[in-house]
Amino acid sequence: MTFRHLVIALLSLALLQTGGIEPAAAATGQERVRTAKPTATKKAPVRYTIRKKTAKATTLRKAAVRKPALRKVSARRSLVAPVAPMAPVQVRPEVDRLGNPQLRSAAFVVVNQATGEVILEKKSDSILPIASITKLMTAMVVLDGGQSLSEEIVITEDDLDTIKGTGSRLALGTRLTREQLLHLALMSSENRAASALGRSYPGGIAAFVQAMNVKARLVGLGDTHFNDSTGLDPANVSSPRDLVRMVSAASTYPLIRRFSTSSEDHVEIRGRMHRFGNTNSLVRSPEWDIDVSKTGYIREAGRCLVMQARLLDQPVIIVLMDSDGRYTRTADAVRIKKWLEAVGAQRVAGLVPGGNG
C-alpha cells in the first residue's frame, strides 16, 4: 500500500464514523471526499428538517381544525337566537292618568248609540263652528222635501263660494241630477253641489236654511244653528253632544248611510269622466265598519269628523271637533278604536263611566 492509498483509507474511515458516506463506498475507496459532502448534506440535516416541519405542520393543522369549529358554533348560535320564542308585543294607545286615550282634538264625545251612555267626552257642550258637517243636515232636508232625485240641476254663479273662495270641479253649466249632487256633497264634501241642493229647494236658499233650523229643533239640537247649506259660513255652529243627535238622526236615512260611506264615484262633466273620492280615508279601511261619515274644515272650525261605526259589536258615535293638523282627526278616531279594543266591551257598554273633563 502506497502512502497515497493510506491517506485515502484513513480519510474514508473518518468519514464513515461521522456518517458522511455509505460503507460500500468506503470499502471500495472509489467515492471522493468532495462527492461525499453533498451526500452528508442530504442525510441527517434533511431528516432533522423534516421532523421540525412535520411537528410545525401538525400544530398548524390542529389549530386550523379547531378555529373553524368555533366559528361554526358561533354561526349556529346567531341563527338560532332570533327563533327563540318571544312574548307578543302589544301596542297600547297613550293614556292619561285616568286611563283614557290622549286625543288631539279640542272637543270630542264618544257615545254608545244603543244605550246613550257617554264613553268619552271633552268640552262636549262647547258651541263651535261645524264646517261641512252641515251637509248631513242638508241631506236630511233634501230627502225630507220629497223632490225628485232624478231631476237635473244646473250649476250657476249662485253656487260659487263667495265666503272662502274655494274652487270646484263642478264648472258653471254642469248638469247633474239631484241624486248625484247629494252623493258628491256627502262623499266628497262638494260645496257647489250642496249650494245647488239648497238653491233648488222650493222657496230657494232662504226657505231651505229655515227648514234646516226647524229640523234641528225637531231632533233636539238646542245648540245648533245654520246659516247656509254648505258649512262655509262659520255661523253654522253646534256642540259635540248635539252632533251626536244629528248623526243618529242621519243614520236613519239609508241613502245618507250609503252616500256618506262610499269610497269613490266617477262623474261625467262636460264629456270627461272625473273621479271623486271620500274625504274620510277610514271608509276604505277593512278594519272599520262605518255606517255614517262626514268630515269638515274651515279655518274657524279646524278639522272635524263625525262617524257612526260598529266597535265591539256596538253602534258607537264619534264626534271630533277642532282638530289641529290634517291627519289629527283620523288619528284620534284610530286611537279611540284601539283604546276601546284594549279596555274591552264593558267600557263600550257604559258600565265604567268615562270623562276627560
Side-chain angles (χ1 to χ4, degrees):
M1 177 182 298
T2 63
F3 179 76
R4 180 173 176 273
H5 286 93
L6 178 61
V7 171
I8 291 174
L10 291 174
L11 288 175
S12 298
L13 180 61
L15 290 173
L16 179 61
Q17 290 176 348
T18 59
I21 60 173
E22 294 296 330
T28 58
Q30 299 299 316
E31 186 67 41
R32 296 174 182 261
V33 175
R34 59 182 180 181
T35 60
K37 287 183 179 178
T39 305
T41 304
K42 292 180 181 179
K43 288 297 179 179
V46 171
R47 288 197 299 269
Y48 176 79
T49 302
I50 291 174
R51 286 198 298 270
K52 292 286 287 184
K53 287 184 177 179
T54 302
K56 188 174 183 181
T58 303
T59 304
L60 290 174
R61 280 198 300 272
K62 288 181 180 179
V65 171
R66 284 197 298 269
K67 288 182 180 178
L70 291 174
R71 285 197 296 270
K72 288 180 180 179
V73 171
S74 177
R76 285 198 297 270
R77 286 176 180 171
S78 64
L79 290 173
V80 172
V83 185
M86 299 175 61
V89 178
Q90 295 185 357
V91 179
R92 297 175 61 88
E94 295 180 3
V95 296
D96 59 20
R97 58 185 179 81
L98 298 176
N100 296 322
Q102 293 184 342
L103 306 181
R104 308 295 189 265
S105 301
F108 56 82
V109 63
V110 181
V111 175
N112 184 330
Q113 185 182 7
T115 65
E117 294 288 341
V118 176
I119 302 171
L120 288 169
E121 64 178 340
K122 177 182 179 181
K123 298 181 180 178
S124 58
D125 294 325
S126 300
I127 300 176
L128 304 167
I130 60 174
S132 287
I133 306 300
T134 295
K135 294 181 175 71
L136 285 179
M137 181 60 75
T138 298
M140 285 190 281
V141 172
V142 168
L143 295 173
D144 288 349
Q147 295 172 277
S148 172
L149 294 179
S150 60
E151 179 186 354
E152 282 194 344
I153 302 172
V154 181
I155 301 296
T156 69
E157 290 186 356
D158 292 333
D159 301 317
L160 300 181
D161 175 15
T162 59
I163 300 175
K164 299 295 183 181
T166 58
S168 171
R169 284 179 288 172
L170 302 183
L172 296 179
T174 299
R175 303 178 67 90
L176 296 174
T177 65
R178 181 172 281 106
E179 182 174 348
Q180 287 176 310
L181 293 174
L182 188 62
H183 191 183
L184 294 179
L186 290 171
M187 177 184 68
S188 299
S189 207
E190 255 295 341
N191 292 314
R192 291 183 187 179
S195 175
L197 289 171
R199 177 177 52 80
S200 61
Y201 189 78
I205 189 65
F208 189 82
V209 171
Q210 183 180 5
M212 293 174 72
N213 287 308
V214 170
K215 179 72 170 180
R217 300 298 175 267
L218 290 176
V219 296
L221 309 185
D223 299 329
T224 304
H225 179 77
F226 298 100
N227 254 23
D228 78 338
S229 61
T230 65
L232 291 168
D233 192 331
N236 289 13
V237 296
S238 187
S239 65
R241 280 186 177 266
D242 262 16
L243 291 183
V244 169
R245 300 184 185 98
M246 191 163 83
V247 171
S248 181
S251 69
T252 64
Y253 294 76
L255 208 56
I256 293 179
R257 293 201 304 271
R258 179 158 64 91
F259 283 172
S260 70
T261 58
S262 61
S263 60
E264 64 178 8
D265 191 20
H266 292 80
V267 180
E268 184 178 353
I269 302 174
R270 292 186 172 183
R272 295 182 57 186
M273 297 301 294
H274 293 262
R275 177 192 174 277
F276 292 83
N278 201 306
T279 53
N280 180 9
S281 61
L282 295 179
V283 301
R284 294 184 287 274
S285 172
E287 298 182 359
W288 284 85
D289 182 8
I290 302 173
D291 291 327
V292 176
S293 167
K294 190 69 197 78
T295 63
Y297 172 73
I298 56 174
R299 181 180 56 81
E300 294 86 350
R303 300 188 183 275
C304 306
L305 173 63
V306 298
M307 294 192 303
Q308 183 215 54
R310 295 198 68 82
L311 301 176
L312 299 178
D313 294 326
Q314 294 288 319
V316 176
I317 295 178
I318 299 173
V319 175
L320 302 167
M321 301 184 69
D322 194 10
S323 297
D324 184 17
R326 183 176 180 181
Y327 302 106
T328 302
R329 59 190 176 186
T330 302
D332 274 355
V334 173
R335 291 185 187 100
I336 291 170
K337 181 176 182 293
K338 290 185 177 297
W339 175 76
L340 288 176
E341 292 170 346
V343 299
Q346 76 276 6
R347 196 65 184 258
V348 181
L351 299 178
V352 182
N356 290 52

